[in-house]
Amino acid sequence: MKAAVLKAFGSPLAIEEVPDPVIGTGEAIVDVAAAPVLPYTDEVLSGARRYLLPPPVIPGCGAIGRVSVVGPDATKLKVGDWVFCDPTVRSRDDAAMPDIVLQGWSARGDGGQRLQQYHRHGAFAERVRVPTENAIRIGAIAEAEAGHWCALNTLLVPYGGLLAANLRAGETLLVSGATGHFGSAAVAVGLAMGAACIVAPGRNEAALVDLVRRFGARIRPVTLTGDEATDRARMVAAAPGPIDCVLDILPPSADATVVRASVMSVRPYGQVVLMGGVGMLGGDDLALPYPWIMRNDVTMRGKWMYPPDAVGRMAGLVRAGLLRLDAYAVTAFPLDEASAAVAHAAAHGGPFRLTVLRPDGTARSPSLPA
């Protein structure tokens, strides 16, 4: 099969013929219809993100495709099923504390690296092998829709955080990082889950205006000034009442003061979920006052990715019309142009934009109207 191979960090992706994946028990092989190219893929492949992804490797974080082979222990998955290839692979020998690897992307800890030795190659290829439970059925779709269904890869991340926060219909949510690729997805998901209002802080005023255009008066934009006290006061004032939940999903380049201003806008007894990358690449870590957390009875938790059942639940939100995948403008590249796709994703990674690889050779696909 044809695949895009990372030979060394910082080198262009090499398009090569590689052996087809061989199935084992508890696995499926999927023909890749579309694979998302995340906006920071260039940072991963250059080594700037310091992800544990030892080359040579076929990168790629998730895919939409059709099952071509199933293992002998599959009871519902069938050849021909349309599936989301969930890159979040969990070890099976400790249900309480599974090691996790993002297939074709990153690993954490010694256990994750051991898991990665087997579940190594990602979806920048014509076919990908995944654990059976990671080939998650999404129902029938048209071939041309595969690129838009790659939006699940982005939407699922904040969905995992909002599920962890137990966000309830009618609550007020603040999304820290609302103008970014994942933050704008958090806005869409929060509204689909029934948030009455979303406070959306950011420095990109055009992106804030666009969020209001897309979603209306339920969005309360806040232009950040860079002064922590001022920004926190603006966030609190923008909300129609107490802020029930804060989701931070800012990237590693963000300043910790921005995150702290958002977090400390939450009401007493509120929920805070941290999903971003502050401190990941050095710089100041997030420092929060112990007395403030304790006396206000604030619940704080970290969350990496999403629970296994989230994919089916999110597909249900899409099928119900609560989440519109056609809000995303999709640009598709053939596999032979993988390096060009990576560059395009880096340059066009704003809200509601997707770059995808189409191993079937489909050239740049027309975008549906936003």
Side-chain angles (χ1 to χ4, degrees):
M1 70 173 183
K2 186 184 294 184
V5 181
L6 178 68
K7 296 293 189 66
F9 287 118
S11 66
L13 291 169
I15 310 302
E16 298 183 349
E17 288 291 329
V18 302
D20 281 345
V22 177
I23 195 170
T25 300
E27 296 173 347
I29 294 176
V30 177
D31 292 331
V32 177
V37 185
L38 297 176
Y40 63 93
T41 300
D42 62 329
E43 298 176 28
V44 175
L45 303 188
S46 71
R49 284 265 174 151
R50 304 178 191 171
Y51 282 3
L52 297 177
L53 183 67
V57 65
I58 301 168
C61 190
I64 299 293
R66 301 188 79 173
V67 175
S68 61
V69 185
V70 295
D73 58 343
T75 62
K76 294 182 173 62
L77 195 64
K78 302 186 302 298
V79 171
D81 282 345
W82 280 100
V83 295
F84 171 68
C85 296
D86 185 356
T88 312
V89 178
R90 296 169 174 85
S91 61
R92 296 166 171 168
D93 50 355
D94 189 339
M97 295 187 298
D99 287 301
I100 296 178
V101 61
L102 296 184
Q103 186 174 354
W105 207 244
S106 69
R108 64 180 188 187
D110 293 339
Q113 290 177 70
R114 287 197 298 273
L115 187 62
Q116 184 187 57
Q117 291 174 12
Y118 184 75
H119 294 295
R120 178 180 183 80
H121 295 301
F124 287 3
E126 292 179 317
R127 282 172 288 283
V128 63
R129 181 188 66 197
V130 298
T132 305
E133 65 269 25
N134 287 63
I136 302 172
R137 295 174 298 165
I138 58 173
I141 67 172
E143 186 84 27
E145 296 175 330
H148 282 87
W149 276 88
C150 282
L152 290 189
N153 206 64
T154 296
L155 293 162
L156 278 163
V157 176
Y159 188 43
L162 296 177
L163 289 174
N166 192 29
L167 180 71
R168 299 176 183 179
E171 290 190 329
T172 294
L173 168 67
L174 184 147
V175 175
S176 175
T179 58
H181 181 75
F182 286 98
S184 58
V187 171
V189 173
L191 293 175
M193 293 175 69
C197 171
I198 295 184
V199 179
R203 289 193 173 93
N204 187 332
E205 292 192 27
L208 292 174
V209 169
D210 184 62
L211 285 175
V212 175
R213 178 188 68 82
R214 289 175 182 272
F215 299 114
R218 290 166 73 190
I219 305 300
R220 303 295 176 91
V222 176
T223 303
L224 294 172
T225 67
D227 179 78
E228 183 178 341
T230 299
D231 289 339
R232 181 164 61 249
R234 286 187 170 192
M235 295 175 201
V236 171
I243 295 172
D244 301 292
C245 177
V246 172
L247 174 70
D248 176 73
I249 199 161
L250 281 165
S253 58
D255 193 308
T257 60
V258 177
V259 181
R260 188 162 51 245
S262 298
V263 166
M264 294 185 67
S265 70
V266 77
R267 65 170 172 83
Y269 306 97
Q271 305 281 326
V272 175
V273 176
L274 304 177
M275 297 194 82
V278 166
M280 185 182 295
L281 300 179
D284 292 337
D285 199 355
L286 180 61
L288 293 170
Y290 187 115
W292 174 81
I293 298 172
M294 181 269 293
R295 290 174 180 165
N296 287 293
D297 214 327
V298 172
T299 299
M300 303 193 64
R301 65 170 294 174
K303 183 62 181 173
W304 195 41
M305 303 305 283
Y306 40 86
D309 67 344
V311 179
R313 295 166 71 174
M314 172 151 285
L317 291 175
V318 173
R319 298 291 184 185
L322 296 170
L323 268 177
R324 292 186 54 194
L325 300 183
D326 63 0
Y328 280 85
V330 177
T331 304
F333 289 80
L335 188 58
D336 287 343
E337 298 179 20
S339 290
V342 171
H344 181 273
H348 302 86
F352 305 107
R353 293 179 178 179
L354 283 177
T355 302
V356 303
L357 287 177
R358 296 296 301 253
D360 61 5
T362 304
R364 297 170 190 249
S365 62
S367 299
L368 297 179

